[in-house]
Amino acid sequence: METLRLGFIGLGMAVTRIFTERPGITDLPHIKLTAAADPRDDALAQFQEEFGAEGYNDVRDLVKSPNVDAVYVATPPEMHAEHALLAMEHGKHAIVEKPIALTIDDCERMNEAAERRGLKLLAGHTHSFDPPIRKMREIIRGGELGALRMVNTWNFNEFMYRPWPSHELVTSRGILFNQAPHQVDIVRLLGGGLVRTVRAMTGVWDDFRPGEGAYVCYLEFDDGVPATLVYNGYGFFDTAELYDWVGEGGYYRDPETNRKMRTNLRQVSGDESALEEQKNQMRYGARQSENYPEIWNIWGRGHAATDRKHQKFFGLTVASCEKGDLRQSADGILVYGEEGRREVAIENAMAGRQAEVQELYEAVVHERPVSHDGRWGEATLEVCLAMIQSTEERREIELSHQVPSWE
């Protein structure tokens, strides 16, 4: 097999990003999109026309297709385990969007199924796939700055005021299962993966929006290295201000984004049908809404092909070593040492979902190990669950499902 035939389970907003990101998975010559499953006929029709692929309303029909080698699970988090297990029952490899599942028991079932059947299970999508984070890990492991001593990461944005229907915020516990996996994965990769304990406090600061919208979390790794994770999705302040308004995707972020999204939410006054309509127009294959024609641009997700793209940012992350500190710049890594500050350029490299699919291809076709596998995803989920438990019990939580980061 030289080509990996990939099917998509779910054609929502994540798939819109996947297919519009450049470079993206559709630029990989050895990947062929052969099928999709989604309840929306319009989305299936567009997928079939765009890729000459099969379309199914029922996931159970897709996983039976002989023209699919692997699936990309992009359904809501509460469906991840069910859909991944169904795919693996029919011999399909799988990439599962974050969080890989919502419980440790489901993670165990998924990992055991993959291991028992000899299938590849990859935990996506997190920013630990981004070249700046991997470059920081490379510098840390290289030892030129001595041993790692601590990691701190901050992200302030308007996440809780984006047009999420309330039921989605309830299921995802606000930011805890949607955004926290990004920060946890970044810090675990830089720190070596093996988190020993978690102490956290989460916050629900706006009764108008259900679910946790902020947290402060303290991690201690097995070797004693501490890390702090701070996230505020109710942000008035925006961390993009600290690095010249480069946004999460690497493009310019409008300094007014937080205010505009708050204003938009006030205008719809919590109308769930309006939130559904706004969210729907960002799903793959959706028709443009006449009532909310500019929500994609208000959110800062619409970019012209001519826009300059920098490296992706997920907030500000600083790694401190014995002989210096590291943080990301727009196009590389800034190293602060005895000789002052210098910038390490980052060569063009795959990022995000393209890197995930490439990793799955290498694992399936060339039998290379999956570094970001189901066990890694389970360990990240364990930290997120511990944040909830620590808040409820107001104590430090010891972990038992951690795995080391890849070499």
Side-chain angles (χ1 to χ4, degrees):
M1 181 201 306
E2 289 301 324
T3 299
L4 184 69
R5 298 172 300 174
L6 186 64
F8 276 84
I9 300 179
L11 291 174
M13 190 172 69
V15 171
T16 300
R17 295 178 186 171
I18 290 170
F19 292 162
T20 56
E21 186 176 58
R22 289 293 178 270
I25 67 171
T26 55
D27 298 311
L28 296 172
H30 42 269
I31 301 298
K32 184 177 182 180
L33 306 187
T34 56
D38 195 276
R40 296 176 302 123
D41 290 334
D42 287 349
L44 288 176
Q46 179 170 326
F47 186 88
Q48 290 172 294
E49 180 180 354
E50 189 172 353
F51 300 107
E54 302 167 3
Y56 302 98
N57 289 124
D58 195 321
V59 174
R60 290 170 293 186
D61 294 325
L62 181 146
V63 298
K64 294 176 184 176
S65 172
N67 299 315
V68 175
D69 304 310
V71 299
Y72 194 115
V73 179
T75 47
E78 63 271 24
M79 299 178 181
H80 286 180
E82 173 190 350
H83 289 158
L85 286 166
L86 187 61
M88 289 188 286
E89 285 174 11
H90 289 81
K92 314 300 185 187
H93 308 280
I95 297 176
V96 184
E97 280 269 323
K98 51 79 183 166
I100 192 169
L102 293 178
T103 70
I104 294 297
D105 285 346
D106 278 346
C107 288
E108 286 290 313
R109 291 168 57 217
M110 294 163 69
N111 282 308
E112 289 168 4
E115 292 160 5
R116 182 175 66 253
R117 296 173 179 272
L119 297 168
K120 307 300 182 183
L121 174 61
L122 189 147
H125 138 72
T126 67
H127 283 281
S128 61
F129 275 100
D130 294 346
I133 304 304
R134 295 196 169 195
K135 188 65 175 181
M136 289 174 72
R137 174 63 174 162
E138 177 187 322
I139 294 172
I140 290 168
R141 287 192 57 80
E144 63 181 275
L145 297 178
L148 180 67
R149 291 308 187 196
M150 69 176 179
V151 182
N152 295 282
T153 185
W154 277 30
N155 202 351
F156 285 61
N157 60 31
E158 83 308 349
F159 180 88
M160 295 300 288
Y161 299 104
R162 296 171 187 174
W164 312 122
S166 294
H167 68 87
E168 293 187 14
L169 289 176
V170 170
T171 301
S172 69
R173 299 291 296 258
I175 62 175
L176 291 179
F177 294 135
N178 192 303
Q179 298 291 280
H182 289 301
Q183 281 192 326
V184 173
D185 252 26
I186 287 170
V187 170
R188 287 188 59 237
L189 177 62
L190 297 180
L194 298 172
V195 179
R196 189 181 73 84
T197 61
V198 174
R199 179 67 174 98
M201 287 297 293
T202 65
V204 180
W205 299 349
D206 189 342
D207 293 338
F208 188 61
R209 300 296 276 163
E212 291 87 342
Y215 59 73
V216 175
C217 179
Y218 176 87
L219 309 181
E220 182 183 334
F221 287 91
D222 271 2
D223 60 3
V225 170
T228 61
L229 294 72
V230 175
Y231 197 109
N232 180 358
Y234 304 107
F236 291 90
F237 169 62
D238 190 325
T239 40
E241 182 179 349
L242 300 178
Y243 31 86
D244 299 323
W245 298 104
V246 178
E248 181 177 340
Y251 292 101
Y252 171 75
R253 178 173 168 86
D254 182 353
E256 293 293 300
T257 299
N258 290 10
R259 183 191 62 78
K260 288 178 179 179
M261 293 307 293
R262 286 173 179 273
T263 299
N264 173 73
L265 195 67
R266 285 197 300 270
Q267 289 174 343
V268 301
S269 301
D271 181 344
E272 290 298 321
S273 63
L275 291 171
E276 288 282 1
E277 184 178 353
Q278 288 192 344
K279 174 70 182 292
N280 183 63
Q281 70 173 298
M282 293 184 283
R283 293 187 173 104
Y284 178 80
R287 296 177 180 176
Q288 186 68 53
S289 167
E290 295 181 359
N291 296 325
Y292 308 104
E294 299 181 357
I295 189 64
W296 191 258
N297 290 323
I298 290 174
W299 194 358
R301 301 288 175 166
H303 303 289
T306 55
D307 289 350
R308 183 183 178 190
K309 185 176 182 180
H310 299 279
Q311 296 293 339
K312 295 183 177 183
F313 269 92
F314 194 76
L316 175 66
T317 299
V318 180
S320 298
C321 301
E322 288 177 314
K323 301 176 183 177
D325 297 319
L326 301 166
R327 76 169 178 91
Q328 188 179 337
S329 65
D331 299 300
I333 299 298
L334 292 173
V335 180
Y336 300 81
E338 293 289 354
E339 304 302 320
R341 189 184 83 169
R342 63 185 174 89
E343 185 169 11
V344 177
I346 296 177
E347 298 178 0
N348 290 333
M350 292 185 188
R353 276 110 170 175
Q354 187 186 44
E356 297 167 21
V357 173
Q358 178 67 23
E359 179 165 315
L360 183 66
Y361 170 82
E362 295 292 345
V364 173
V365 176
H366 299 298
E367 299 184 354
R368 294 176 183 168
V370 177
S371 59
H372 210 271
D373 63 10
R375 295 292 177 185
W376 177 268
E378 179 177 349
T380 290
L381 176 66
E382 184 184 29
V383 174
C384 297
L385 292 170
M387 291 166 65
I388 297 171
Q389 183 181 358
S390 177
T391 299
E392 292 174 347
E393 300 177 8
R394 307 193 80 165
R395 67 180 181 89
E396 191 172 35
I397 306 300
E398 293 188 4
L399 306 185
S400 58
H401 295 275
Q402 297 296 291
V403 294
S405 59
W406 54 93
E407 301 302 323

